Amino acid sequence: MKLNYKRLGLLVLAILLVVSSWLGIAFARSGLDVRSFQKEGVPLLYLAPQGAKTIPGVLVAHGFAGSKQLMLGYGHVLAHAGYAVMLWDFDGHGANGTRLERYELQQNLERALQALLEQPQVDPGRLALLGHSMGSGIVMNAGIRDRERFAATVAVSPTGANVTPQSPRNLQLQAGSGEGRFVGNAERLLAQSGGENTNLATGQGRELVVIPGVEHITILFSDGSHQSALRWLDAAFGRTSDSQYRDRRMAWYGLHLLGWLIGFAAISPLLTHPPFIPTKIAPIRQWTGLIAAPLAATAGLVLLSQRFDLQNLGGVQVGGAVGVWFLIAGLTWLGILARLPRPTLRAVGLGIMLFVILWIAFGAMAQVVWLQWWLIPIRLRVWLPVAIACFPWFLAAGIVQEDIGVGKRLLWWLGQSIVLIGGFVLTLNFLPQLGFMFLLLPLFPPLMGILSLVAGLFNQAWVYAIGSALFFGWLLAAGFPLSA
């Protein structure tokens, strides 16, 4: 099949979207000094205005299963407003290969502080803290322990700390309106710290900001959260920022992903020729398998939890248990389908190529926007076992989506999303120790939507299963912390 004018036009559009998105990312960094380095094994990322001197410094700490990249929205907004910002990966997170031990995390902050104070642009007498979720507790404790060093603390989606009306100095609490218990945590901390107080000159400033329309992860990309933090820090340091910068890097990331998908749609007919014979299975068996899969996976994990530490299975907190969940669910679904298409060398090759395309489309820009996408060696060893565990699920999903129309494909996307979210919620009801599985729930609808689109472009179960399993395994290996 040749590349006709319509597909050539789509390919040109895709190239324009990808190039423009990278230009947008470059513009977001313009005027900033951005450097990556390490201090005593802790990966660091430093942002500051170019040519700046004696400016306030801010330590920015990520949450559980996060990374320094996930906090870059605050980093860019603060750096463009005249702050020097230091971000880092806690033990077991991102590019930090040290296994996670919670009592060591405060030492990670100390290493980041030392590195921040070594930067020539930073005024050591003007320092502040900002942290999200797990990181919020760590920065609040740092502000309590060393009250005179830090002029202000911003706790986003706060967990807990022994705050008082005196410490930490100038505490701002933020929570998303969709965060439930984190709003309650913030209200409790506000009351414990003396209630609302707008007088920051005394160091006893207190404020709670509820950011509308966001939850635990999307708050990190919220302009309302970024600007509230900037306003509070400016008030604490008695300065006024005239920066007009708004962080739009996630929009550029979305355009980058869209560009790759459009380009992939343009060339996919060249890759899928010649046609194939789809696997025909009765719809009742297809849907029965999908519905039964999460029930079997939940029961399987509950039984395994009696003999194994699922929370740290495979050396990855929660991620190993997610892989086992998909393994049991996928085998159950395949067992009910009871028919497998025959694999071919061509399908294996196309599946690997699909993984490479997804890896670039999803991850190339994620590395500089929101996720530590490059796997360090210890994480790379986790990738293939997790991908193999997830493979049966994606093979079953690929089989039921062979040779169907757009309407049915949308129905399967919706069905998978509901079943996965419901299945993981059911699992958490029986195994609350796996609570951080909830981090995956917002990802399932968009992720399954993208993969369903890919399934339609290739229309071959083995191609879809190999590419999707390798890609999803990489995502799990990149996201969840390394356990002790």
Side-chain angles (χ1 to χ4, degrees):
M1 185 178 292
K2 294 183 179 180
L3 195 65
N4 57 32
Y5 286 112
K6 179 180 178 181
R7 296 193 179 277
L8 185 61
L10 288 175
L11 192 57
V12 171
L13 174 61
I15 293 171
L16 289 174
L17 288 175
V18 171
V19 171
S20 62
S21 65
W22 279 108
L23 290 174
I25 293 296
F27 176 76
R29 287 188 167 207
S30 63
L32 298 182
D33 175 17
V34 181
R35 290 186 283 115
S36 297
F37 56 101
Q38 287 197 6
K39 186 174 183 63
E40 299 181 30
V42 177
L44 300 156
L45 181 59
Y46 177 70
L47 298 87
Q50 291 177 353
K53 295 181 181 179
T54 59
I55 57 176
V58 185
L59 294 173
V60 176
H62 65 77
F64 184 86
S67 66
K68 55 188 179 300
Q69 284 90 339
L70 196 57
M71 305 298 290
L72 272 172
Y74 299 97
H76 279 81
V77 167
L78 294 175
H80 277 289
Y83 289 86
V85 184
M86 187 67 74
L87 307 99
W88 69 96
D89 289 330
F90 282 116
D91 286 352
H93 292 75
N96 192 329
T98 304
R99 299 288 186 174
L100 176 60
E101 296 282 359
R102 288 189 181 274
Y103 60 83
E104 299 285 350
L105 297 184
Q106 201 70 46
Q107 294 184 16
N108 294 164
L109 183 145
E110 293 297 328
R111 301 292 181 273
L113 174 59
Q114 292 169 18
L116 180 64
L117 293 174
E118 290 168 2
Q119 307 309 311
Q121 300 98 329
V122 176
D123 179 355
R126 292 190 294 167
L127 300 175
L129 300 155
L130 185 151
H132 172 245
S133 193
M134 177 186 76
S136 73
I138 292 168
V139 298
M140 283 190 288
N141 284 327
I144 293 167
R145 187 179 63 254
D146 203 349
R147 183 183 185 277
E148 297 309 314
R149 182 187 290 274
F150 300 106
T153 299
V154 178
V156 182
S157 306
T159 50
N162 294 321
V163 298
T164 70
Q166 288 76 37
S167 62
R169 292 168 64 194
N170 297 325
L171 174 64
Q172 183 191 66
L173 301 157
Q174 292 189 20
S177 61
E179 288 198 87
R181 65 185 181 89
F182 288 98
V183 176
N185 283 348
E187 292 172 343
R188 177 182 59 79
L189 287 168
L190 180 65
Q192 184 179 330
S193 63
E196 294 274 354
N197 185 344
T198 58
N199 185 5
L200 277 69
T202 64
Q204 297 181 21
R206 299 289 185 264
E207 180 181 58
L208 169 58
V209 181
V210 177
I211 308 298
V214 297
E215 43 76 50
H216 196 63
I217 300 301
T218 54
I219 193 173
L220 301 177
F221 308 106
S222 163
D223 187 58
S225 177
H226 300 160
Q227 297 303 317
S228 293
L230 174 59
R231 171 183 54 78
W232 188 254
L233 295 179
D234 279 348
F237 291 117
R239 64 195 301 268
T240 302
S241 301
D242 57 2
S243 170
Q244 300 301 309
Y245 176 84
R246 296 293 186 273
D247 192 58
R248 300 289 183 260
R249 293 169 311 110
M250 282 300 290
W252 291 116
Y253 174 79
L255 280 181
H256 179 266
L257 181 58
L258 177 63
W260 274 94
L261 291 176
I262 291 174
F264 186 44
I267 66 171
S268 60
L270 304 177
L271 305 173
T272 56
H273 190 74
F276 74 106
I277 300 174
T279 307
K280 296 297 183 181
I281 299 174
I284 185 65
R285 283 164 57 192
Q286 297 177 359
W287 285 100
T288 299
L290 177 62
I291 294 170
L295 301 177
T298 300
L301 280 189
V302 170
L303 290 174
L304 288 172
S305 69
Q306 298 173 14
R307 298 194 61 181
F308 299 98
D309 178 14
L310 294 180
Q311 190 172 0
N312 299 300
L313 192 65
V316 180
Q317 286 206 1
V318 181
V322 171
V324 173
W325 191 98
F326 271 94
L327 176 64
I328 298 172
L331 291 175
T332 302
W333 196 359
L334 285 176
I336 293 174
L337 293 177
R339 289 189 64 186
L340 293 178
R342 182 177 299 174
T344 64
L345 287 176
R346 177 182 174 82
V348 172
L350 287 175
I352 294 172
M353 188 189 68
L354 171 60
F355 162 67
V356 172
I357 292 173
L358 287 171
W359 191 96
I360 296 172
F362 189 90
M365 186 174 284
Q367 177 69 25
V368 296
V369 174
W370 71 280
L371 178 64
Q372 175 65 42
W373 188 244
W374 290 96
L375 296 185
I376 57 177
I378 194 171
R379 291 185 178 277
L380 204 55
R381 293 197 293 269
V382 172
W383 165 49
L384 279 180
V386 173
I388 291 169
C390 295
F391 177 79
W393 174 275
F394 288 106
L395 182 57
I399 291 171
V400 300
Q401 292 181 87
E402 283 184 337
D403 203 33
I404 61 175
V406 175
K408 288 185 177 180
R409 195 169 302 284
L410 287 172
L411 187 60
W412 274 112
W413 162 74
L414 181 61
Q416 280 194 82
S417 299
I418 292 174
V419 162
L420 287 172
I421 293 173
F424 275 70
V425 170
L426 179 65
T427 300
L428 293 176
N429 184 60
F430 290 98
L431 299 171
Q433 66 268 34
L434 301 179
F436 281 99
M437 276 185 172
F438 86 90
L439 294 172
L440 288 172
L441 302 187
L443 289 178
F444 282 135
L447 187 60
M448 291 301 139
I450 291 171
L451 295 180
S452 292
L453 173 62
V454 168
L457 295 175
F458 268 114
N459 206 25
Q460 294 185 41
W462 280 92
V463 177
Y464 170 79
I466 292 170
S468 298
L470 289 172
F471 169 71
F472 190 68
W474 189 284
L475 187 63
L476 292 180
F480 285 103
L482 303 170
S483 59

